Structures are given as C-alpha cells and as structure tokens.
Amino acid sequence: MCGIVGYTGPREAFDILIEGLKKLEYRGYDSAGLALQDGDRIRVVKAAGSIAALEKRVRGQIKPLQVGLGHTRWATHGRPTDENAHPHLSCCGNFAVVHNGIIENYSALRDWLRDEKGHVFRSETDTEVLAHLLEEFYAGDLLEALRRTAEIVEGSYAMAALSAHEPGRLVCARKDSPLIIGLGEGENYIASDITALLSHTRRAYILEDGEFASVTAEEVKISRAGGEILQKEVFTVKWDAVAAEKGGYNHFMLKEIMEQPTAVRETLRQRIDTAAGRVNLNELNFAPEELCALEKIYIIACGTAYHAGLVGKYAIEKLAGLPVEVDLASEFRYREPILLKQKHLVITVSQSGETADTLAALRLARRKGVRVLAVTNVVGSSVAREADEVLYTRAGPEIAVASTKAYLTQLIALYLVALYLGDLRKALPSEEAARLVRDLDRLPGLLKQILAEERLSELRAYADRLARWENAFFLGRNLDYAVAMEGSLKLKEISYIHAEAYAAGELKHGPLALITEGIPVIVLATQESILDKTLSNIQEVNARGGAVFAVIPEGRGEIARQVEGAFYLPPVKDLLAPVLSAVPLQLIAYYAAVARGCSVDKPRNLAKSVTVE
Ligand code: AGP
C-alpha cells in the first residue's frame, strides 16, 4: 500500500501535500516525494526515509507553488531508495506520476520503451513505466494519454499524474487500489483515502475501478475508459481524523483483519496461473537442480510467524515430499542445529524482517553455507537484504502489534513455496496442483464471506462471554493444532486472558485436569479427515463441564448441537483451512480485548517488531 495526495488551487501546495502524506503514513513509510508545477517545469523532490525527513530537507527551499502531487511509499518493486521513491518523471521531465499498486507487465513495457523507443530508466520500480508511457502517448491531452496508458498496463493501480504542458491540471485513474477526489471551494484534491483531506474537506467523489478523473481548481470531471462523462454522487465523510486513519474502524487491528481478502489477493497476484494450474515464483533465483537436491527444510521464525511456519510444514511435507523442521529462532540459533550445505534450505518467516532472533538464525544458516529464503512483508528489511532469495508477502503495512493479515499472507507464501517445490520435484500430480491453485484463487472470496457483518456479530457475542474468564483453552489436531496455537497467542497478547493451545489428543495426558465447569475451550475441528477424533475430544471436554466453542465446516450441525457455540467455515480443502479458521480466532481475540477495555493496537509490554534479543 502507498499513499497519494494531490492539490490544485490558489493556496501553497507544499504544506497541504506534506500534511496529507503524514496522515497517510500508515499506508507506507519507507520513502516519500513531491512533484510541484513550477510554470512550464515540474519540480520533483523525493528521498528514502520518512515524510518528516523529506519536509525538513525541502521546507524553505522551494518557492510557493500551487499545484502538485505527493506520495509516501511501501516498497513492492525496488528497494526504498531516493531513485525508487515516487514521483517518477518521464525522460523529458514534462510528466510526473505517482502510483499505488502493482504493474504486473512492467518488465515487458520497460523493455519496449527502452529498446524500441529509447527511453532511459532511472529506477528499479514498476511505476516508472507509467511516466514514460505518458510521454509516449501524449498528443495534447493528458487525460487521453492516461487512458491509453491504462489500456496497456496490467495489474492494480491508483495512479495520478501532472504535466508541464497543462498547468493546474491533475489526472488520475483507479483499478483495484483506492482513490478519491476531494472537493473544495475553488480548489480540489486527490487522495488514496479521505484521511489525508479531512482538515480541508469532507466531501469527495469515490473513484470506482475503471474510472478516470480530470481535476483542476475549478472543475472535476469523472469519466470511463471510453470517455463518457459520469455524474457521481458526492460522498460526505462523518468520521473524525483519527477514525479515518483506521478506515473508519476503531482499531488498526480490526482494519487489518478486514484487509485480509485484499492482502491475500495481492500476495497471490502474478504468482498463480489458474488456467495452467501452476505456481509462478520466477522472482526466486534458485536453480531447479538446487531445489531438487534438497533433503530437508528448516522453517525458522518467532511468534505468529512461527505459527505460520507450522502450517507451512504440513504444506511442504504433503505437496513437496520434503521433511520440514520448524523451530523458534531464539532456540534454533543456540542449539547448534545440523545444517548441511546443498542438502538443507532455511526459510525464515518474519513480517517486519527485523526480528533479532530470526535475523541471527538467518546469519547462522548462511555462515554454514546453507541457502536462505526469506518470507517477509517489508522490502529492504534486514532479513530481505541478507537472505539469498526473498518471497514478499504483500499485506501492506501492518500497524497493530497483533499480527493478522501478515500471518494469513505468510500462509499463502508458504503454500506457494510448497506447490512450487512439489512441481519442481515432481512430487505432486499436476491435476492435484491445478485444483489447489484454483482453491487458492478462491480464498479472497471465501474470506469476504467470513468477514460479512452478520458473521461478526456471532463472534462478538461469544467473545463478550469469553471476556469474563481469566483462562481459556484452544484445541486442535494436525493443522487445527497449528492454528489453535495462533488463536491462543492472539487472545493472550491483546486481551491478557491466559490461553493455552494443546494438541487435542494430548488432553487426557494431563491438561484435562484443568477442565472445570464452564471453562472456555475453543476447538478447531476443520480437518475432515480426522473430525471424528476431534469430536471425541469435544465430548471429553463436555463430560467435564467445559464450555466448547467450535470452528467447524458448514453442514456439520451435529457437532454444533453438542457445543455452546459454533462458527461455520465455507467449504475448503483441509490443507487450506487455516487461512479461513484463523479469522474467527482473530476476531474473538479482538472483541474480547475490546470488551475488557484493553489497548488493542498497542498491548502492554509488547512491540511491533522485536529488534532486541
Ligand atoms: C504477533 O501477533 C506478535 N506480535 C509477535 O509474535 C510477532 O509475530 C513476532 O514478534 C514475529 O515478528 P516478525 O514476524 O516481524 O518477525
């Protein structure tokens, strides 16, 4: 996710753009920049680092200018550097563009622009092709040039541009990334979301996919690709500035839970080919023979990322036929693990890419000559820079300390690795792989179903009851046990209820002694292949008076009738069920923490990234 702000009007643009970007910093903060119209020139100032650093560097260095675009970046293609920061300029310097999203065919477009048309590229980003395309297509109307650009790019974009040829005019287009047009008196705005504009206006047009806008101080015109003008309804925002930053949600955690369908879709984008039924991880430069020679994989991580690794173990062992050992980074780094060059691969999983223990484990593996694949959410993070190869999750910035959308996209990344290895090592029949690829493609839609308003109320009611307890259990078998561990951590870390996760088959080996009248026991029972076993564990708990809340497949009413509460999941393969079953657990933890008046986004004693041992 990145943040875009634009302004055209009689006032000085610099402060409006800088303040607007600061309000969007939660959308990305690894670099920032401005493009300002200065007569028949465009002034671009941009740098890696925070918006505040950019402001400090530029304030007072530029004369008052009234039209401009601003951008704060969350890197997806190209490290956070000055050159990769937006805005990007065309060769002639007469076109500047900012963009949020992913241009999937940027590599082919760049080759064509460079080799056939002689354009010179300065950055590693996908976005820069847009600036050169505008220059290539400009024939006197900037909006027409933008339409032609939109016709040939593939992927997701909220893009905005200005040109030295057309003073005072901003143009923009939207596909799969949000963009709004703020409406003022004798001035108008563009922004990724209303948060950036609340101190200036609460009135806006919401651009829909496939819509374009031409914005001047006096006029806003919305149109479709074919040029037909649209009469849009003005949207008036009721939120306050703080709520707006959270997209209208009360906490970043809930906002990020709700972003999971998009985060999963973005992480899958370009990496699955549903028609061919295959995974495409060409961004990884492992030689096929290197991956085929592997005899074991280690997945090393901390906290929630470790729980994602437990799911990754099942996926890689099942789909690629490779033994996988999952370990906590803080244990792995001190236990002198057996690491064999060429025979072993280490996969580190880390949202922040800065977790000290995970980074230390990565360095240990590399010292032993073992190759490292990093699964991380932050481009240019320490883990990303030091690993041999990186598979980025594309969850966007995760602000809440409790990891949710990053966890789900880590699962997706590990499923992709498992399918990729299975294909390379011929361990997986192609028709089974094809079915799984299509099932992955359906996950964003299934997540949207689970996150529907009426489903949330069921979970909130249960969480309000759970909130009155100081102890709880999470049970599951197989993949359900891995997710039970994640659910237990979520509840512990934000509601401060002491929760323990156990393999359901372990209950009778001791923990059953703790099952007393009414104690909350959340049971994951999604694995059809062993459902009857988990059902017997539910009966063990019931027999001791425990109060079971079960996460179960749709249609298993007979289980629902035996428990205090149940949450039904839409049909999904056992292997992919964790992507869905984790969500009710995230929401139960969230609502329980709210009911207990906890600091949901910033729980006591915790930090978002544990960069110390
Ligand atoms: C997750 O809810 C926790 N905040 C924490 O366990 C986190 O997953 C862990 O610290 C690892 O962080 P990383 O993914 O950035 O390495």
Side-chain angles (χ1 to χ4, degrees):
M1 276 200 304
C2 301
I4 291 171
V5 184
Y7 173 75
T8 176
R11 292 188 289 155
E12 184 174 354
F14 181 82
D15 283 323
I16 295 170
L17 297 175
I18 287 289
E19 291 318 311
L21 289 178
K22 285 179 180 174
K23 293 284 190 307
L24 297 180
E25 206 152 25
Y26 72 90
R27 300 178 62 86
Y29 38 74
D30 59 40
S31 56
L34 304 178
L36 294 159
Q37 211 144 42
D38 182 1
D40 61 357
R41 304 179 46 230
I42 298 174
R43 300 283 306 273
V44 171
V45 287
K46 60 182 188 176
S50 69
I51 296 159
L54 176 75
E55 177 184 18
K56 191 159 179 265
R57 181 167 157 179
V58 176
R59 184 174 288 285
Q61 308 301 312
I62 292 186
K63 68 184 184 187
L65 297 168
Q66 287 74 35
V67 180
L69 290 170
H71 186 274
T72 182
R73 184 171 182 243
W74 180 264
T76 53
H77 287 73
R79 291 160 300 121
T81 61
D82 294 358
E83 303 73 30
N84 289 339
H86 302 205
H88 288 282
L89 275 174
S90 56
C91 298
C92 62
N94 292 324
F95 302 88
V97 68
V98 293
H99 163 240
N100 175 27
I102 294 178
I103 305 298
E104 296 182 7
N105 60 339
Y106 81 96
S107 183
L109 289 172
R110 184 174 58 190
D111 293 349
W112 172 67
L113 287 162
R114 184 189 57 222
D115 304 340
E116 306 288 319
K117 300 292 181 181
H119 289 266
V120 176
F121 283 79
R122 305 180 188 88
S123 79
E124 310 164 320
T125 67
D126 54 335
T127 300
E128 191 183 349
V129 296
L130 300 174
H132 298 293
L133 286 170
L134 288 173
E135 178 181 6
E136 196 58 36
F137 294 148
Y138 188 73
D141 181 341
L142 185 57
L143 185 60
E144 280 318 304
L146 189 69
R147 280 195 225 285
R148 289 193 60 192
T149 297
E151 274 169 16
I152 70 167
V153 299
E154 294 164 12
S156 60
Y157 53 77
M159 54 186 170
L162 54 78
S163 169
H165 301 314
E166 303 186 16
R169 189 185 193 195
L170 305 175
V171 295
C172 55
R174 180 222 152 119
K175 178 177 174 290
D176 293 339
S177 285
L179 200 59
I180 67 165
I181 313 298
L183 304 172
E185 300 300 325
E187 57 189 6
N188 289 305
Y189 311 79
I190 293 173
S192 297
D193 68 46
I194 195 66
T195 313
L197 306 179
L198 281 179
S199 52
H200 307 295
T201 180
R202 287 179 174 274
R203 300 169 58 246
Y205 290 130
I206 312 285
L207 275 194
E208 302 295 341
D209 282 356
E211 293 182 353
F212 297 73
S214 170
V215 181
T216 63
E218 297 308 324
E219 184 181 51
V220 174
K221 275 188 184 170
I222 314 279
S223 57
R224 284 202 194 291
E228 60 274 25
I229 300 295
L230 297 173
Q231 297 308 321
K232 300 249 319 167
E233 195 178 318
V234 175
F235 172 79
T236 304
V237 176
K238 304 273 190 293
W239 300 329
D240 64 32
V242 173
E245 195 175 32
K246 300 176 187 120
Y249 295 106
N250 291 332
H251 300 97
F252 276 112
M253 183 178 175
L254 186 56
K255 174 173 177 285
E256 288 155 9
I257 288 171
M258 295 303 182
E259 286 173 345
Q260 291 182 122
T262 302
V264 165
R265 171 58 63 208
E266 287 305 309
T267 302
L268 286 168
R269 190 184 290 278
Q270 293 175 283
R271 293 165 170 168
I272 55 171
D273 179 340
T274 49
R278 302 194 61 190
V279 164
N280 159 22
L281 294 185
N282 295 336
E283 64 214 87
L284 301 183
N285 297 310
F286 292 111
E289 55 275 10
E290 176 184 2
L291 296 178
C292 291
L294 291 177
E295 294 175 7
K296 178 177 181 179
I297 288 180
Y298 285 94
I299 300 179
I300 308 299
C302 299
T304 285
Y306 168 76
H307 297 149
L310 295 173
V311 174
K313 168 185 170 70
Y314 283 99
I316 294 171
E317 290 189 343
K318 179 180 174 62
L319 303 181
L322 255 176
V324 178
E325 182 173 340
V326 188
D327 204 348
L328 293 166
S330 54
E331 290 296 307
F332 180 81
R333 63 181 293 198
Y334 295 116
R335 64 177 175 81
E336 297 177 19
I338 297 170
L339 288 166
L340 305 176
K341 204 171 173 179
Q342 269 106 35
K343 292 182 177 177
H344 294 171
L345 171 71
V346 165
I347 301 176
T348 58
V349 183
S350 174
Q351 188 283 130
S352 62
E354 298 300 343
T355 298
D357 285 320
T358 307
L359 193 53
L362 179 154
R363 290 169 177 163
L364 167 62
R366 302 210 68 219
R367 279 199 302 275
K368 300 264 186 174
V370 169
R371 299 261 278 163
V372 177
L373 165 61
V375 171
T376 187
N377 196 41
V378 181
V379 176
S381 58
S382 302
V383 160
R385 287 197 311 274
E386 297 189 29
D388 293 287
E389 296 294 332
V390 188
L391 183 60
Y392 285 110
T393 52
R394 298 179 189 140
E398 187 175 69
I399 310 297
V401 165
S403 185
T404 51
K405 62 178 183 172
Y407 169 75
L408 244 52
T409 56
Q410 287 161 0
L411 298 186
I412 297 297
L414 291 168
Y415 286 132
L416 291 169
V417 169
L419 280 162
Y420 182 66
L421 288 170
D423 182 22
L424 271 179
R425 299 169 60 89
K426 307 272 183 285
L428 185 63
S430 54
E431 64 280 2
E432 185 184 342
R435 273 196 303 276
L436 275 167
V437 165
R438 285 191 286 275
D439 288 339
L440 282 172
D441 189 48
R442 279 195 284 273
L443 288 175
L446 296 178
L447 285 166
K448 281 183 183 154
Q449 278 181 40
I450 289 177
L451 291 167
E453 189 51 43
E454 62 277 11
R455 306 301 309 274
L456 306 189
S457 52
E458 297 167 41
L459 294 169
R460 180 162 205 157
Y462 173 71
D464 288 346
R465 295 199 301 278
L466 175 63
R468 294 195 287 270
W469 289 80
E470 293 306 321
N471 297 285
F473 281 88
F474 287 76
L475 303 179
R477 288 174 177 263
N478 200 286
L479 281 162
D480 282 336
Y481 175 38
V483 178
M485 291 178 78
E486 174 54 16
S488 162
L489 175 61
K490 285 280 117 10
L491 186 65
K492 263 194 284 257
E493 68 175 327
I494 63 170
S495 75
Y496 315 144
I497 293 171
H498 179 226
E500 285 305 315
Y502 276 99
E506 268 299 286
L507 217 50
K508 52 187 164 307
H509 298 286
L512 197 56
L514 291 176
I515 303 299
T516 53
E517 187 62 32
I519 192 162
V521 179
I522 295 167
V523 180
L524 289 147
T526 72
Q527 300 298 296
E528 295 277 3
S529 57
I530 46 173
L531 209 48
D532 58 331
K533 301 294 179 195
T534 308
L535 195 47
S536 64
N537 296 127
I538 289 175
Q539 284 149 0
E540 281 174 352
V541 172
N542 285 345
R544 277 84 181 171
V548 172
F549 183 90
V551 179
I552 53 179
E554 259 169 21
R556 301 309 297 258
E558 80 281 10
I559 299 177
R561 282 190 290 279
Q562 297 181 48
V563 296
E564 179 196 299
F567 186 87
Y568 289 108
L569 294 183
V572 67
K573 286 254 182 351
D574 278 8
L575 183 61
L576 303 182
V579 178
L580 303 186
S581 61
V583 175
L585 305 189
Q586 294 167 346
L587 288 163
I588 286 170
Y590 171 76
Y591 288 126
V594 169
R596 289 166 69 101
C598 297
S599 169
V600 174
D601 285 334
K602 297 190 175 92
R604 67 188 181 205
N605 312 337
L606 300 180
K608 181 59 186 169
S609 177
V610 183
T611 56
V612 294
E613 288 198 25

